[in-house]
Amino acid sequence: MSQDCEVIVVGGGPVGVMALALLGHAGVRAVGIEREPEMWRQARAVHFDGETVRSFQAMGLGEELSARVKPMCDYRMENEAGETLVSHATGQMGPQGWHSEVLFHQPEVDGLLRAEVARLADVELRLGTTLLDIEQGDDSVRCTVRTLEGTTRTLTARWVIACDGGTSTVRRTLGVSGENLGTDDPWLVVDGHLRGTAGIEGDMVFLGRHTRPALWIRLPGDRVRMEFKVLPGDDPEEIGTPEGIARLSRGVLTPQNFEPDRSVIYTFRARLATSWRVGNVFLAGDAAHLAPPLFGQGLCAGLRDVANLVWKLRLVSRGRAPESLLDTYESERRDHARYWVEQAATMAGLVQTTDPAMAARRDAHIRANPADSYPPAPALGPGVHTGPADPHGGRLSMQPMLPDGTRLDDLVGRRFLLAATPELQAGLPDAVREALAEEPEVAVLTSPQHVGQLLTSVEAPAVLVRPDRYVLGTAHTPEQLEAMLRLLPLAGALEPRRETSAPRQETTARH
């Protein structure tokens, strides 16, 4: 069956458009559909971590993103009495080669991603196009859509990525249920401009007040966000008025100093889809997982989903990897996302308690265990890596800054990276070294100035890093290194090269 494209992306939010942009850079033909005729002009997410900024770097957009964000310089939590229970300085450059935490105004990021999609030849985003039905065949997916003009037509592709949000039409149509990992709690979210006053000290402050749990976030420019737990007895209409916002914020956001952009009641949910792949359809972003915004991982997790999936689709599309590689998307990402959903749900329960006795126990626990207030990043679930037997396998690699001011990923591009000492690489059989030298999907770097810090970070003389920058494995001997290389999901990677058809043209990232 002829197909309109290789991938249809359902949903034009940041996860869907990121998927399109990554597919475009990978040379995979894709069409995105979005039911809204115009870009949403109001903010929803406000936080990225360093890994997310690094994923923009992979498309040559790292510096352009950085110009639109604000490093988050501190994070703390207060209790009812105004005591700071825990605080972290977070403004430093982190192991990803970028600031570890940044804050942003989402429409500016959405605009950057959409402009990149418009620039790329192999992808397009069709606005005002609504998915009506989805049907799978043996090797293709048919999507029935209604266009902006009101006509009905069918789009066909080999794969579909559903990034259509928490109320996903695709997930519902496929009959995929969700696992509830927490409670549903309504919060009032208020965005706007603060004029002539400093507001609350700090960039992100959890206000663990049992009389009214709240959150403060300082965004780029004069923008701020506050969120307030909706309590029994609240009038949903009144609490969103200027007077209501002034009361809930204890005079921080008043009609005299605050110009609101948005005031909306949003329900914090903790959900995980029970299946992330049905045939040739993949769920990603909020369609696959929902988390309370306590660690700012909701959108980060969605962008992580598509970064994980797109490099695998690219290799399968080119015939370099077996179709079974795509099964590792769910096994790797679902466990990782579950961790953050559960952590956020637990933290939400602590922050938003309205029970004075529980709040007092929480305060005592945080004073004694401050590290619990920001859990470490988890490893991927089972998949293309050597973890957990290898403690570094399946974990995000660091990215060193090089002596000339560039970053390591800029040398590697979208390839695998084998970083090794010259001595260890020399211990490989000649045939393996020759095959590696001819393998276009693997960059081999042995210079200490390029990979010395990376090798130090994994405490090994060799590390294999995947295109999404997660560690495939580490090795200490030539024998271990050869065995690790045989885990590469690349057909014929360690065999003598044969002539193959010319690959599709890929788009070079802008640097």
Side-chain angles (χ1 to χ4, degrees):
M1 174 185 294
S2 63
Q3 296 170 348
D4 296 291
C5 56
E6 292 178 275
V7 181
I8 295 171
V9 178
V10 182
V15 175
V17 180
M18 181 71 154
L20 277 178
L22 290 170
L23 289 164
H25 277 274
V28 178
R29 291 183 300 111
V31 171
I33 58 173
E34 164 56 43
R35 65 184 177 187
E36 298 294 333
E38 296 181 358
M39 190 180 80
W40 194 304
R41 296 292 177 185
Q42 294 182 322
R44 285 150 290 166
V46 295
H47 167 268
F48 281 156
D49 58 19
E51 178 184 0
T52 303
V53 183
R54 191 177 178 184
S55 67
F56 277 73
Q57 179 196 347
M59 300 183 293
L61 298 176
E63 296 296 344
E64 291 188 57
L65 177 67
S66 290
R68 290 166 169 79
V69 304
K70 170 189 181 302
M72 188 176 86
C73 294
D74 50 67
Y75 150 88
R76 64 190 176 87
M77 179 175 176
E78 285 185 8
N79 63 7
E80 183 76 35
E83 173 194 0
T84 294
L85 298 170
V86 63
S87 64
H88 298 288
T90 57
Q92 67 278 10
M93 295 294 284
Q96 297 304 299
W98 301 92
H99 288 285
S100 294
E101 316 284 345
V102 301
L103 300 167
F104 58 87
H105 181 53
Q106 186 177 333
E108 295 184 357
V109 175
D110 289 346
L112 176 66
L113 284 171
R114 290 197 178 200
E116 184 66 3
V117 167
R119 187 184 74 85
L120 297 168
D122 287 321
V123 294
E124 64 172 307
L125 177 60
R126 300 181 184 178
L127 300 176
T129 303
T130 303
L131 178 72
L132 300 177
D133 195 15
I134 188 166
E135 180 182 358
Q136 298 203 56
D138 292 337
D139 57 358
S140 67
V141 186
R142 294 160 54 91
C143 292
T144 304
V145 303
R146 183 173 60 244
T147 69
L148 183 62
E149 295 74 26
T151 60
T152 299
R153 62 162 300 185
T154 299
L155 294 174
T156 61
R158 186 173 178 184
W159 299 293
V160 166
I161 306 176
C163 309
D164 52 344
T167 59
S168 172
T169 298
V170 175
R171 188 185 65 224
R172 185 176 65 252
T173 303
L174 296 176
V176 176
S177 59
E179 185 179 357
N180 191 349
L181 301 177
T183 59
D184 293 356
D185 300 293
W187 281 60
L188 175 69
V189 179
V190 178
D191 290 319
H193 303 265
L194 192 64
R195 317 279 197 200
T197 182
I200 294 176
E201 181 181 357
D203 282 343
M204 181 174 287
V205 184
F206 291 103
L207 301 166
R209 303 164 176 165
H210 61 264
T211 57
R212 176 71 71 178
L215 172 65
W216 160 270
I217 306 173
R218 187 181 300 280
L219 300 172
D222 62 3
R223 295 182 182 278
V224 298
R225 167 174 289 186
M226 285 199 77
E227 303 180 5
F228 308 95
K229 182 178 173 66
V230 178
L231 300 180
D234 279 338
D235 178 346
E237 298 295 330
E238 188 276 336
I239 59 175
T241 64
E243 293 74 20
I245 294 169
R247 178 172 55 81
L248 266 56
S249 68
R250 298 187 180 180
V252 174
L253 308 180
T254 69
Q256 292 72 39
N257 66 25
F258 182 64
E259 177 187 339
D261 282 341
R262 183 179 74 137
S263 170
V264 64
I265 292 178
Y266 176 84
T267 300
F268 290 1
R269 292 188 170 91
R271 299 281 194 281
L272 196 67
T274 52
S275 297
W276 288 33
R277 180 184 186 184
V278 178
N280 278 9
V281 180
F282 303 88
L283 303 183
D286 285 358
H289 46 77
L290 287 170
L294 273 299
F295 296 112
Q297 284 294 313
L299 179 53
C300 294
L303 300 180
R304 204 173 282 133
D305 294 341
V306 294
N308 181 293
L309 182 56
V310 167
W311 72 265
K312 296 170 182 176
L313 290 173
R314 172 182 172 272
L315 291 178
V316 175
S317 171
R318 288 168 171 263
R320 288 302 316 271
E323 178 87 15
S324 59
L325 175 63
L326 302 179
D327 292 335
T328 64
Y329 166 66
E330 177 173 340
S331 64
E332 291 183 347
R333 285 296 308 135
R334 191 164 183 271
D335 284 1
H336 195 281
R338 170 186 286 276
Y339 172 87
W340 280 120
V341 173
E342 290 179 337
Q343 291 289 337
T346 299
M347 191 64 176
L350 293 173
V351 168
Q352 67 180 348
T353 182
T354 56
D355 180 337
M358 180 178 290
R361 290 195 296 271
R362 173 203 64 199
D363 294 355
H365 177 81
I366 293 176
R367 290 188 197 101
N369 305 278
D372 289 356
S373 62
Y374 206 98
L380 296 172
V384 189
H385 58 81
T386 56
D390 178 347
H392 299 285
R395 293 190 178 276
L396 186 62
S397 67
M398 61 90 71
Q399 176 181 215
M401 296 288 291
L402 305 182
D404 65 357
T406 61
R407 294 172 172 85
L408 179 62
D409 291 355
D410 294 334
L411 296 182
V412 179
R414 59 182 59 86
R415 295 174 291 177
F416 290 86
L417 166 64
L418 172 60
T421 62
E423 296 78 13
L424 194 65
Q425 190 205 18
L428 288 170
D430 291 345
V432 173
R433 283 190 286 107
E434 291 168 5
L436 274 178
E438 296 177 1
E439 173 51 65
E441 297 291 348
V442 181
V444 181
L445 296 176
T446 58
S447 167
Q449 70 174 357
H450 291 148
V451 299
Q453 291 181 60
L454 175 60
L455 295 178
T456 299
S457 72
V458 295
E459 302 172 302
V463 59
L464 190 56
V465 180
R466 313 181 334 172
D468 60 358
R469 316 311 182 197
Y470 278 78
V471 172
L472 191 154
T474 59
H476 294 263
T477 67
E479 293 75 19
Q480 290 178 354
L481 178 55
E482 181 178 0
M484 182 173 71
L485 289 168
R486 295 195 181 282
L487 298 178
L488 281 166
L490 296 170
L494 298 187
E495 299 171 2
R497 302 294 297 171
R498 299 185 180 90
E499 292 297 325
T500 59
S501 58
R504 288 178 53 79
Q505 184 68 37
E506 294 187 30
T507 301
T508 302
R510 297 180 295 180
H511 299 302

